[in-house]
Amino acid sequence: MPYDHRKSLTPALALLGCALGCLALVGCGGAADDAAGVPGATSSSPAPRASAAPSDPSGSADATGTAGSTGSTGSGDDAPGRLPLAGRTVVVDPGHNPGNFRHSREINQKVDIGTARKECDTTGTSTNAGYTEAAFTLDVSHRLRDLLKGLGAKVVLTHDADRPFGPCIDERARTGNAARADAVVSVHADGSATGNRGFHVILPARVDSGGADTAKIVGPSRALGEDIATHFARATHTSPSNYIGSGTGLDVRDDLGGLNLSTVPKVFVECGNMRDPKDAALLTDAAWRQKAAQGLADGIRTYLKG
């Protein structure tokens, strides 16, 4: 869940947060948005753009499958011997960091996101059984990295749990900008109420405030998001969110620093709701996480092949 979302931490995590120093975090969204979606919205998959052609709750990336395998066929115009995403750069942003729980003071420090000042990062959410969003996002990001590399892309991770906490949301945006990425995908999972199910893709709104100016990326980011929504549904056999996006699987927001400060096409993907038992059963299953990574890779490939 991207900073300020529609959920609260599990009771166990809340107690842990207090013990560690009053973690002032709620996950991927603001509490005021809890009822923003339309429960019972249609479960049909978003239409593609006209141009588009056993359980393992450990979070381990061992079962990544065959790198480079992909369910999409691409445009069919690749030169013989040339991988379809050769010469392209993709930044993969694993939401949150497993170490954030131990660094409440640091991640609560506020940074400038253009429209406001917000916390550096949050802990993220978890399933009721304690499988954390940070473990989920890192695992899916590893799988996605391997698939994209198999397609020839240069892949940059914003972090690999190789630092004590963070990076902060503004630094995550700068990583994509500095890499001059052709696409950036921030991997998350939501923490909404039981009964709220499905995935959604968060797109940048038109923002021009402070250091934020998204004018050049709003259109390309929407195209990226639409392709990901289409292929994610196809690969995972799951439906767009029934509580956000009115059945489209798309949600436009202007309060996320990772989007506001980006100068390259970027989206956030909430792969499911960790607090719903049915979604949680999927998110904690290694085979399903591979399908999730495949859907993301296929969407990115379709977008980059145009």
Side-chain angles (χ1 to χ4, degrees), residues 46-53 220 222-224 226-227 230 299 302-306:
R49 290 188 297 133
S51 62
R222 173 168 284 273
L224 171 62
E226 289 174 347
D227 283 333
T230 296
T302 297
Y303 167 73
L304 293 179
K305 294 302 294 180

Side-chain angles (χ1 to χ4, degrees), residues 2-5 28-30 107-122 167-174 177 204-214 217 253-263 266 268:
Y3 330 93
D4 281 351
H5 219 33
C28 292
I107 65 171
N108 283 331
Q109 296 294 317
K110 293 188 175 182
V111 298
D112 185 6
I113 67 165
T115 56
R117 293 185 65 81
K118 294 183 71 171
E119 289 77 11
C120 158
D121 201 2
T122 68
C168 294
I169 53 181
D170 55 341
E171 183 181 347
R172 290 172 186 264
R174 288 196 298 271
N177 298 343
R206 178 68 178 90
V207 172
D208 185 4
S209 178
D213 184 357
T214 61
I217 70 164
R253 290 176 62 176
D254 63 3
D255 63 327
L256 299 177
L259 296 180
N260 290 354
L261 301 176
S262 183
T263 59
K266 182 174 182 178
F268 282 61

Side-chain angles (χ1 to χ4, degrees), residues 139-151:
D139 179 72
V140 173
S141 294
H142 284 161
R143 297 168 188 272
L144 176 57
R145 172 197 61 194
D146 293 345
L147 290 168
L148 292 172
K149 282 187 174 181
L151 293 171

Side-chain angles (χ1 to χ4, degrees), residues 29-286:
D33 294 331
D34 282 346
V38 181
T42 176
S43 61
S44 61
S45 300
R49 290 188 297 133
S51 62
S55 180
D56 174 17
S58 66
S60 169
D62 292 340
T64 53
T66 304
S69 63
T70 178
S72 72
T73 58
S75 63
D77 59 357
D78 299 319
R82 180 177 173 83
L83 294 172
L85 297 187
R88 299 300 194 121
T89 298
V90 179
V91 171
V92 178
D93 178 26
H96 315 289
N97 181 324
N100 283 358
F101 288 101
R102 297 184 294 274
H103 293 274
S104 58
R105 181 179 62 82
E106 291 88 348
I107 65 171
N108 283 331
Q109 296 294 317
K110 293 188 175 182
V111 298
D112 185 6
I113 67 165
T115 56
R117 293 185 65 81
K118 294 183 71 171
E119 289 77 11
C120 158
D121 201 2
T122 68
T123 59
T125 189
S126 74
T127 66
N128 292 332
Y131 179 50
T132 66
E133 182 185 2
F136 170 83
T137 63
L138 193 62
D139 179 72
V140 173
S141 294
H142 284 161
R143 297 168 188 272
L144 176 57
R145 172 197 61 194
D146 293 345
L147 290 168
L148 292 172
K149 282 187 174 181
L151 293 171
K154 175 184 177 181
V155 181
V156 177
L157 295 179
T158 59
H159 77 93
D160 199 6
D162 51 355
R163 51 190 294 165
F165 63 91
C168 294
I169 53 181
D170 55 341
E171 183 181 347
R172 290 172 186 264
R174 288 196 298 271
T175 298
N177 298 343
R180 298 183 179 180
D182 296 293
V184 183
V185 174
S186 189
V187 181
H188 287 266
D190 211 354
S192 188
T194 298
N196 290 344
R197 296 198 60 195
F199 70 88
H200 65 276
V201 182
I202 303 175
L203 313 175
R206 178 68 178 90
V207 172
D208 185 4
S209 178
D213 184 357
T214 61
K216 293 181 180 180
I217 70 164
V218 167
S221 296
R222 173 168 284 273
L224 171 62
E226 289 174 347
D227 283 333
I228 286 177
T230 296
H231 287 282
F232 193 90
R234 185 177 301 165
T236 63
H237 304 292
T238 56
S239 298
S241 169
N242 65 3
Y243 62 104
I244 294 174
S246 300
T248 66
L250 304 175
D251 183 32
V252 178
R253 290 176 62 176
D254 63 3
D255 63 327
L256 299 177
L259 296 180
N260 290 354
L261 301 176
S262 183
T263 59
V264 293
K266 182 174 182 178
V267 299
F268 282 61
V269 181
E270 298 279 4
C271 297
N273 176 19
M274 300 196 90
R275 305 299 293 280
D276 176 82
K278 292 181 180 179
D279 269 12
L282 299 176
L283 297 166
T284 55
D285 181 70

